[in-house]
Amino acid sequence: MTVRTRSTRVLERSFARQDPGVSAGSRSGRAGSTRGAAGCPITLSVTDGGLRIVTEQVPGVRSVAVGIWVGVGSVDERPQLAGTSHFLEHLLFKGTSHRSGAEIAAEMDAIGGEFNAFTSHEYTCYYTHVLAEHAELAIDVVSDVVLDATVAGSDVEVERQVILEEIAMRDDDPEDTLADVFAESVYAPHPVAAPVIGNVRSIEALRRNQIAGYYHRRYTPDKMVVAVAGDIDHADVVRWVKHAFAGRLHGSAGPQPPRGRTGLVLPQRALRVVERDSEQAHLMVGAPALPRDDPRRYALAVLTTALGGGMSSRLFQRVREQYGLAYSCYAGSHSYADAGAFSVYAGCQPGNLDQVSRLIHSELAELATGGVSDDEVQRAIGQLTGSLVLGLEDTESRMSRIGRNIMVRKKFQTVDDELAGIRGVRAEQVNELAAALLAQPLSVAVVGPYSSQRSLPAGVRALAGARASDGPDGSATARSGHTGAGGSARSAAHHRGAGSRP
């Protein structure tokens, strides 16, 4: 049966050595660039069965990155299936109808390739990075793993133990434990509040037929995006993918649309503490923020960057440089289809936790009421645009950008779209958003040598018992010299990694 390519269109013409300061209009005359020239077209094709194939030509590189993105993640699981998406990710590498697990590993090692996968709340990605001359083989191997895994009972038992060890390893890492505990509080009762890996009870209870049934029901071409970046030709990739997916691309189904609403996030005061005999106390504080496609996402990125995204940020300068109380202190945000959160993290000696929490509380209160300055906004914009462009220096990061973009966005976001969105942020937008977000109750999580909430320092308990817009002493605070674009201080109106990207 001949597989039709229903549509093909160029989504973006990027430029491998384009200076991020050059506007789109200044290079409009180069829009007709072709393979071998400076232009690097990003092209999308949709086949029968709803499979999406997206490529980015990157002339001059010697590697190709191949990823198959599957719109299946932990938010798709019922409570009794918690951790199934991640469990399945492990099992797919154990063997297919055509290759054993050992043969998959040997085949990739023989060409110097890297082969890995990750599972998130909303999708799973299987990816490889190989020399460009092995692109066709890489597509064949990754497709075989994703489409034709055996999910054998013996492999289920082996990987069950591996995942239980992974959970134990997570529990031994205070920062991983902190992130999970914080998510349980800030996202409740949304499905993203639960850890992707599942829990000991659910992993021990899962059976082979449950996992295999989940696999066969959900791993269908209409939920998949094949993304390839490197010195390749789009028509070649489409031909190779159709061959690898032989017999599965049929019917009138179109691609699965991006996710809609799966749950609600209810702002709430919460204080969670997990006792660990650790040398440091680990603190995370935050509140619900913006879903993925909210037009204010660029303002949020500037906000978190100015607060704790670099060496010039407020938290770094005050907590680390001025007082020397923590090696690591930063702000960030995470976003999903219909939920999001911003957070601040600090790790410090237990004896410093009270002062660190009071300093963070003070900075949040000053940000909520006083806003950011134009200078802070411009520094944050420079940091974000530089990070965006420098993050696309290799084929693996380019593959990840285009694959995730097609998987989760309602409209493809070009690099120019993102740069324009970041550069268009103004101080008043950031300040309005800060006032709204920081007027919410705060969720606080602590991991360290504390047996209960009562054993926590007073500064931590105060942080959990107030809005961010109230200072550590319970009063509204304004920062002198950090006013909004209008020149006056503003009152409150209504996850991990520094400087989150929108």
Side-chain angles (χ1 to χ4, degrees), residues 21-170:
V22 179
S23 67
S26 67
R27 60 177 190 267
S28 59
R30 300 170 64 187
S33 300
T34 59
R35 178 175 167 82
C40 308
I42 295 173
T43 308
L44 171 68
S45 289
V46 180
T47 73
D48 285 343
L51 179 68
R52 290 154 288 181
I53 305 168
V54 60
T55 65
E56 179 172 7
Q57 288 183 358
V58 189
V61 300
R62 296 188 177 185
S63 70
V64 166
V66 176
I68 297 184
W69 298 70
V70 188
V72 175
S74 62
V75 297
D76 298 305
E77 301 161 357
R78 300 190 304 275
Q80 62 268 35
L81 295 178
T84 303
S85 301
H86 173 257
F87 205 139
L88 188 56
E89 174 214 313
H90 278 241
L91 289 169
L92 265 57
F93 285 88
K94 301 295 286 185
T96 74
S97 299
H98 309 99
R99 297 173 172 94
S100 67
E103 288 170 338
I104 292 168
E107 200 162 2
M108 295 307 297
D109 284 349
I111 60 174
E114 302 170 359
F115 195 8
N116 212 332
F118 65 86
T119 307
S120 75
H121 289 292
E122 297 181 319
Y123 51 80
T124 308
C125 179
Y126 302 82
Y127 61 95
T128 184
H129 198 196
V130 300
L131 297 179
E133 63 202 72
H134 301 305
E136 182 176 6
L137 176 60
I139 289 171
D140 183 68
V141 173
V142 180
S143 300
D144 189 26
V145 165
V146 171
L147 297 172
D148 209 19
T150 54
V151 192
S154 58
D155 293 333
V156 169
E157 295 311 314
V158 170
E159 290 307 306
R160 189 192 313 278
Q161 297 308 310
V162 172
I163 294 169
L164 290 173
E165 290 293 336
E166 192 175 353
I167 292 174
M169 183 172 64
R170 178 206 61 182

Side-chain angles (χ1 to χ4, degrees), residues 121 175 178-184 186-187 192 284-285 300 304 330-336 340-345 495-500:
H121 289 292
E175 288 191 54
L178 179 71
D180 283 345
V181 171
F182 177 76
E184 289 173 9
V186 77
Y187 288 117
V192 297
M284 187 167 284
V285 55
L300 178 60
T304 56
Y330 55 76
S333 65
H334 288 109
S335 62
Y336 303 96
F342 77 91
S343 61
V344 171
Y345 165 82
H495 223 318
R496 220 156 44 174
S500 298

Side-chain angles (χ1 to χ4, degrees), residues 253-265:
Q256 176 180 267
R259 290 181 184 274
R261 180 173 294 278
T262 57
L264 296 173
V265 174

Side-chain angles (χ1 to χ4, degrees), residues 237-451:
V237 171
V238 170
R239 186 174 68 255
W240 297 334
V241 170
K242 285 181 177 179
H243 182 266
F245 276 67
R248 292 179 172 85
L249 302 180
H250 50 77
S252 58
Q256 176 180 267
R259 290 181 184 274
R261 180 173 294 278
T262 57
L264 296 173
V265 174
L266 302 177
Q268 57 186 313
R269 287 185 175 88
L271 175 58
R272 300 283 301 278
V273 58
V274 177
E275 185 175 12
R276 288 286 186 273
D277 184 18
S278 56
E279 294 296 319
Q280 279 195 312
H282 300 267
L283 168 72
M284 187 167 284
V285 55
L290 308 178
R292 180 182 298 118
D293 288 322
D294 192 297
R296 299 170 294 170
R297 63 187 181 275
Y298 299 109
L300 178 60
V302 170
L303 171 64
T304 56
T305 302
L307 176 62
M311 291 187 295
S312 67
S313 68
R314 294 185 182 188
L315 288 172
F316 189 93
Q317 284 295 311
R318 194 168 187 194
V319 175
R320 175 167 167 166
E321 295 297 283
Q322 184 177 350
Y323 289 98
L325 293 172
Y327 175 78
S328 182
C329 184
Y330 55 76
S333 65
H334 288 109
S335 62
Y336 303 96
D338 59 345
F342 77 91
S343 61
V344 171
Y345 165 82
C348 63
Q349 294 181 33
N352 293 332
L353 182 60
D354 185 68
Q355 188 176 1
V356 167
S357 63
R358 292 180 188 275
L359 288 173
I360 290 172
H361 197 171
S362 176
E363 288 299 322
L364 292 175
E366 291 171 353
L367 181 62
T369 57
V372 296
S373 68
D374 288 329
D375 286 345
E376 287 179 296
V377 170
Q378 291 308 309
R379 282 200 302 273
I381 287 173
Q383 185 177 344
L384 289 165
T385 54
S387 175
L388 171 61
V389 175
L390 293 175
L392 298 176
E393 289 290 298
D394 62 86
T395 54
E396 192 169 340
S397 60
R398 286 174 179 259
M399 180 281 293
S400 182
R401 185 183 82 87
I402 61 176
R404 182 177 181 275
N405 208 327
I406 295 294
M407 175 60 65
V408 305
R409 294 287 187 192
K410 296 176 182 177
K411 179 179 181 292
F412 187 85
Q413 298 291 301
T414 68
V415 172
D416 281 343
D417 289 336
E418 295 187 55
L419 291 173
I422 296 168
R423 292 182 179 131
V425 174
R426 299 293 177 262
E428 59 265 29
Q429 297 170 312
V430 178
N431 296 337
E432 289 172 3
L433 181 61
L437 295 181
L438 295 173
Q440 301 177 100
L442 293 174
S443 292
V444 179
V446 177
V447 175
Y450 306 99
S451 59

Side-chain angles (χ1 to χ4, degrees), residues 206-238:
L206 280 172
R207 295 294 171 257
R208 188 265 172 192
N209 65 321
Q210 293 176 294
I211 301 170
Y214 187 89
Y215 170 49
H216 293 299
R217 288 193 309 272
R218 296 184 180 274
Y219 272 53
T220 55
D222 61 305
K223 295 184 178 69
M224 297 180 185
V225 174
V226 180
V228 182
D231 196 5
I232 41 79
D233 180 79
H234 181 77
D236 289 339
V237 171
V238 170

